[in-house]
Amino acid sequence: MPRTPAPSRPVGTVTRGTTNPNRLRRMDRWIAAAHGPALRRSPTPPTAVDLGYGAAPWTAVELLERLRKVRPDARVYGVEIDPERVAAAHPYERAGLAFVRGGFELPVEGAGGPRPAGLTLIRAANVLRQYPEAEVLPAWRRLCARLAPEGLLVEGTCDEIGRRHVWVALGPEGPRTVTFAARLATLTAPSDLAERLPKALIHRNVPGERIHTFLSDFDRAWATAAPYGALSARQRWVRAVRALAADWPLADGPRRWRQGEVTVRWSAVAPVR
């Protein structure tokens, strides 16, 4: 796969690099479902970036495999700021998968040049969480500017083995939705997911902020749905989310809820100050 020469000083800082195989499966499953139509409509092979894939290349390898179930000619670039991580990933390259050194400037084909074609997907998992909150919006704007008209940026956080995720989905215009996803058998209450809120929201989970109100309402709906836990954690989750939908602008439906997910419009939970 062609590469754009990396700048002498990539934009960003080296993160911890923690990664595990299959860690991002819930996020990838959602991407394939929500962004699949745009991937299939792309007139050229869709290009995706796994930004900050970490100390091992598993997440980029898995992203290629999962996207190719939707679009067989999809291609993926793993982008890392640490040159040693890039060198360690090179043996895993194959047709449609390449690893390059870079940061938020995204030095890959389709993301640069005088007339960029734009990227179909940028996934930045567990990256911005390690930055100051003030740097989130500038990073979002920079990455969104690299998207194709139907492109998607997915930025969020998960635990070490992928049981709990929260991510923001953004289009070229900015943030659209926030998705909460969990292995329901491990969940005591929906607010357990608060520890995985993306950087833009994690410090806003306090009284007076929308995200705090959302999680509080979710916990109440979860408590009310407790009798359904005798059937299964999934039944309890679906019932709680159905009650939540009466007051919150959810962007998905029962098919996704049964996967242990719920997606809410960004405007409903965005920071108020």
Side-chain angles (χ1 to χ4, degrees), residues 233-258:
R234 176 180 297 179
Q235 289 294 326
R236 184 178 183 182
W237 174 270
V238 170
R239 193 72 181 189
V241 173
R242 195 180 300 278
L244 197 66
D247 298 307
W248 291 89
L250 304 186
D252 54 4
R255 185 173 182 179
R256 302 311 308 171
W257 303 344
R258 287 191 290 270

Side-chain angles (χ1 to χ4, degrees), residues 140-163:
W140 278 1
R141 293 190 189 104
R142 184 166 197 151
L143 295 174
C144 287
R146 303 293 181 140
L147 293 173
E150 285 198 282
L152 191 71
L153 164 62
V154 180
E155 188 272 308
T157 304
C158 69
D159 66 1
E160 288 74 12
I161 58 175
R163 295 170 301 178

Side-chain angles (χ1 to χ4, degrees), residues 26 30 157 163-168 177-184 187 190-198 201 211 214-215 218 237 241 244 250 252 256-257 259-265 269:
R26 298 179 194 281
W30 181 87
T157 304
R163 295 170 301 178
R164 299 175 182 178
H165 286 249
V166 187
W167 61 81
V168 182
T177 60
V178 182
T179 298
F180 299 78
R183 183 174 183 268
L184 299 179
L187 206 64
S191 59
D192 291 350
L193 290 162
E195 66 182 17
R196 298 300 163 184
L197 287 168
L201 294 173
I211 188 63
F214 176 80
L215 288 172
F218 205 170
W237 174 270
V241 173
L244 197 66
L250 304 186
D252 54 4
R256 302 311 308 171
W257 303 344
Q259 300 295 321
E261 298 172 9
V262 62
T263 298
V264 63
R265 299 292 179 189
V269 295

Side-chain angles (χ1 to χ4, degrees), residues 57-101:
W58 319 131
T59 60
V61 172
E62 291 166 353
L63 181 61
L64 179 69
E65 293 171 350
R66 289 162 181 160
L67 291 182
R68 287 199 160 179
K69 292 178 181 178
V70 178
R71 181 69 186 256
D73 60 351
R75 54 187 183 176
V76 171
Y77 287 95
V79 176
E80 249 296 338
I81 202 166
D82 184 338
E84 293 185 2
R85 294 175 185 173
V86 177
H90 280 157
Y92 294 87
E93 292 188 334
R94 65 188 72 169
L97 177 63
F99 296 92
V100 298
R101 182 178 182 232

